[in-house]
């Protein structure tokens, strides 16, 4: 099987490449060659996916049975549309990694694949939706990118993947790594909200495996609902880092009163009721398998101990609460 990875050197893209190589697939990667080295065993084609000339040069390395697009997070729908049209004659199937942000109801409502998505045109530019706030803008852009892929490939040749929070080795966003470092420091640790609140992060390797095997269609990707709590997650973090800390839980209203930013200052904490209410039955029916969250946490800690570090990304610095602010909130409890 011949695979083309648009990306292939960062977090999810790298996980897809590793799994494809382990399966014995012939793997081509297409990226700018700036962020991280290409994995050995791939055919690396370097270029800019916004360049028509570079994309046409890429097609000479085809054809491919499957394109997996993990590199479009900063791409406008129009740019995804242009690339997909060029690749359509040399690719049988296209798997596009979107996000639950494409739903108009996220993070406020429970979601299935039949929930409404934003109505964004396939040829929208980067400014489309920019005046609607960061979350809506991002959602509209991703919904437009989904439409762009469907405009270039008919439905029988398209898989749309809508993951929620992805964690695991190689993470460059910094959510799980921040919690692991905080638990490593030990002491009294500010834990956010309701300890029994259910969460649904998914391992990057499970998303990668599904991207390579998913049939045509649209799929939500997350851990099963009702399986893991925030307390489970933080307990796993404490366990792998040596059990040097003690969790003290602060109610949502206390955190809000102290101006704690949801989602970033205490990563994964969000009060919106639909944040972790993503139905994944369709994907599980198509053989999505998700490993235990404890394994994701442990393997991420092992990766961090190896010292390789993630690809540098500005989102890393957005995560984590200042120690002085954390202590002030703990003192007020």
């Amino acid at each position: 099987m011949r695979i083309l990875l648009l990306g292939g050197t960062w977090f999810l893209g790298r996980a897809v490449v590793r799994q494809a190589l382990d399966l014995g697939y012939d793997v081509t990667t297409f990226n700018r060659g700036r962020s991280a080295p290409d994995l050995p065993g791939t055919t690396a084609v370097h270029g800019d996916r916004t360049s028509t000339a570079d994309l046409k040069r890429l097609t000479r390395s085809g054809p491919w049975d499957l394109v997996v697009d993990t590199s479009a997070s900063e791409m406008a729908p129009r740019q995804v549309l242009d690339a997909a049209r060029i690749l359509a004659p040399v690719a049988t199937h296209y798997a596009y990694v979107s996000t639950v942000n494409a739903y108009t109801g996220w993070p406020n409502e429970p979601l299935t694949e039949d929930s409404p998505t934003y109505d964004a045109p396939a040829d929208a530019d980067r400014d489309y939706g920019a005046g609607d706030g960061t979350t809506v803008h991002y959602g509209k852009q991703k919904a437009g990118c989904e439409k762009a892929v469907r405009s270039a490939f008919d439905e029988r040749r398209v898989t749309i993947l809508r993951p929620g929070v992805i964690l695991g080795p190689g993470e460059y966003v910094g959510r799980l790594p921040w919690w692991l470092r905080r638990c490593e420091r030990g002491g009294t640790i500010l834990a956010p909200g309701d300890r029994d609140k259910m969460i649904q992060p998914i391992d990057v390797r499970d998303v990668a495996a599904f991207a390579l095997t998913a049939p045509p269609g649209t799929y939500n990707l997350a851990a099963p609902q009702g399986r893991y709590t925030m307390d489970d997650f933080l307990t796993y973090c404490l366990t792998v880092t040596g059990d040097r800390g003690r969790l003290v839980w602060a109610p949502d209203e206390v955190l809000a009163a102290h101006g704690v930013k949801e989602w970033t200052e205490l990563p994964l904490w969000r009060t919106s009721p639909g944040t972790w209410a993503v139905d994944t039955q369709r994907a599980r029916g198509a053989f999505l398998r998700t490993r235990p969250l404890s394994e994701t946490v442990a393997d991420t800690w092992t990766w961090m101990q190896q010292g390789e570090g993630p690809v540098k990304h500005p989102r890393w610095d957005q995560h984590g609460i200042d120690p002085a602010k954390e202590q002030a909130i703990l003192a007020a409890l």
Side-chain angles (χ1 to χ4, degrees):
M1 187 167 182
R2 303 199 74 226
I3 306 292
L4 170 64
L5 257 294
L6 299 181
T9 61
W10 283 25
F11 184 39
L12 176 56
R14 204 166 185 83
V16 174
V17 170
R18 284 197 175 103
Q19 298 219 22
L21 291 173
D22 287 347
L23 290 169
Y25 294 167
D26 182 317
V27 182
T28 302
T29 58
F30 180 69
N31 54 69
R32 294 176 298 175
R34 298 176 185 173
S35 300
D38 298 288
L39 283 173
T42 63
T43 299
V45 180
H46 289 160
D48 187 338
R49 64 173 293 164
T50 66
S51 165
T52 298
D54 286 356
L55 287 166
K56 288 183 176 179
R57 174 170 53 84
L58 170 64
T59 63
R60 296 200 291 269
S61 297
W64 297 280
D65 300 294
L66 173 65
V67 176
V68 181
D69 188 350
T70 66
S71 70
S73 61
E74 303 301 326
M75 297 288 137
R78 180 182 298 168
Q79 294 168 323
V80 173
L81 177 63
D82 291 344
R85 283 173 171 169
I86 291 171
L87 292 172
V90 292
T92 301
H93 193 86
Y94 198 113
Y96 175 71
V97 181
S98 184
T99 169
V100 292
N101 290 70
Y103 292 112
T104 60
W106 192 87
N108 298 311
E109 303 169 3
L111 299 173
T112 73
E113 289 86 354
D114 296 323
S115 300
T117 57
Y118 288 103
D119 185 15
D123 61 351
D125 61 21
R126 192 66 190 156
D127 293 332
Y128 185 84
D132 299 321
T134 302
T135 299
V136 175
H137 178 221
Y138 182 56
K140 287 185 175 181
Q141 289 285 309
K142 296 300 276 189
C145 290
E146 292 181 11
K147 190 175 292 185
V149 173
R150 291 192 175 105
S151 296
F153 287 75
D154 68 64
E155 291 285 342
R156 294 169 297 177
R157 300 168 61 199
V158 174
T159 298
I160 302 295
L161 307 177
R162 294 182 183 142
V165 171
I166 304 175
L167 303 178
E171 184 196 337
Y172 64 84
V173 175
R175 296 182 178 111
L176 175 52
W178 185 84
W179 276 117
L180 286 166
R181 290 299 184 198
R182 177 62 192 91
C183 289
E184 180 189 28
R185 292 204 314 270
T188 306
I189 300 170
L190 181 64
D194 179 1
R195 65 189 305 158
D196 294 323
K197 188 178 183 70
M198 294 294 173
I199 61 173
Q200 293 181 271
I202 187 170
D203 192 289
V204 63
R205 295 163 293 184
D206 298 331
V207 176
F210 191 72
L212 290 170
T213 60
T218 300
Y219 303 93
N220 294 335
L221 303 184
Q225 289 180 274
R227 182 167 295 181
Y228 304 111
T229 65
M230 194 68 180
D231 186 45
D232 292 330
F233 171 69
L234 293 182
T235 299
Y236 298 149
C237 290
L238 282 169
T239 299
V240 301
T241 56
D243 277 319
R244 290 191 285 268
R246 179 175 68 91
L247 301 174
V248 175
W249 294 86
D252 294 337
E253 57 270 21
V254 171
L255 298 175
H258 283 83
V260 178
K261 296 178 182 176
E262 296 188 26
W263 214 230
T264 54
E265 282 194 283
L266 292 171
L268 304 189
W269 171 63
R270 195 163 192 153
T271 59
S272 302
T275 303
W276 306 108
V278 180
D279 183 273
T280 61
Q281 290 305 305
R282 182 182 295 178
R284 293 184 189 284
F287 303 105
L288 170 68
R289 298 292 180 264
T290 52
R291 70 197 67 208
L293 181 56
S294 57
E295 183 178 329
T296 301
V297 171
D299 289 351
T300 302
W301 181 240
T302 298
W303 163 71
M304 291 170 65
Q305 301 312 293
Q306 294 169 349
E308 180 182 351
V311 173
K312 291 183 179 180
H313 194 278
R315 291 181 68 185
W316 184 278
D317 295 329
Q318 297 174 4
H319 291 87
I321 191 169
D322 181 86
K325 185 174 182 178
E326 179 187 21
Q327 291 307 309
I329 297 171
L330 287 167
L333 289 173

